[in-house]
């Protein structure tokens, strides 16, 4: 995950992150994303200090639509919640 790599290195690249967000938001749905990928994406945007309301809304709508959170391990849930709390969503 490119965004995760940048955030892990403490680097911020607003144009790159914006393109990533536009790509994800433009998807019909995000069912092809694994829960860990969604956690990594939200964590990366929050860690980089680059919140994107449309991206976070898309991910939240996906999570809410799931029958249960059994696919999410505790770390993925924790990282996702941390990301939303950090950006104030």
């Amino acid at each position: 995950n490119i965004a995760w790599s940048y955030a892990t290195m403490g680097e911020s690249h607003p144009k790159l992150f914006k393109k990533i967000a536009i790509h994800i938001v433009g998807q019909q749905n995000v069912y092809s994303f694994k829960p860990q990928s969604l956690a990594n994406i939200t964590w990366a945007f929050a860690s980089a200090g680059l919140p994107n309301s449309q991206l976070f809304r898309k991910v939240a709508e996906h999570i809410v639509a799931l029958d249960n959170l059994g696919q999410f391990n505790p770390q993925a849930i924790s990282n996702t919640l941390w990301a939303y709390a950090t950006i104030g969503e």
Side-chain angles (χ1 to χ4, degrees):
N1 184 311
I2 294 170
W4 180 87
S5 298
Y6 268 82
T8 299
M9 296 296 294
E11 295 293 326
S12 178
H13 193 300
K15 288 182 181 181
L16 174 64
F17 276 66
K18 184 175 181 176
K19 283 194 174 260
I20 291 169
I22 289 169
H23 175 75
I24 294 169
V25 170
Q27 300 292 310
Q28 178 83 16
N29 60 58
V30 291
Y31 287 106
S32 64
F33 288 80
K34 294 179 181 175
Q36 188 63 50
S37 296
L38 294 174
N40 289 349
I41 290 164
T42 55
W43 179 89
F45 274 77
S47 294
L50 297 170
N52 184 294
S53 295
Q54 290 179 317
L55 170 69
F56 276 77
R57 191 173 314 112
K58 180 86 168 195
V59 172
E61 288 171 358
H62 168 73
I63 292 171
V64 168
L66 296 174
D67 290 334
N68 64 62
L69 297 180
Q71 297 174 328
F72 283 81
N73 66 37
Q75 187 67 51
I77 291 172
S78 176
N79 288 352
T80 303
L81 291 173
W82 176 87
Y84 278 84
T86 298
I87 65 158
E89 283 283 329

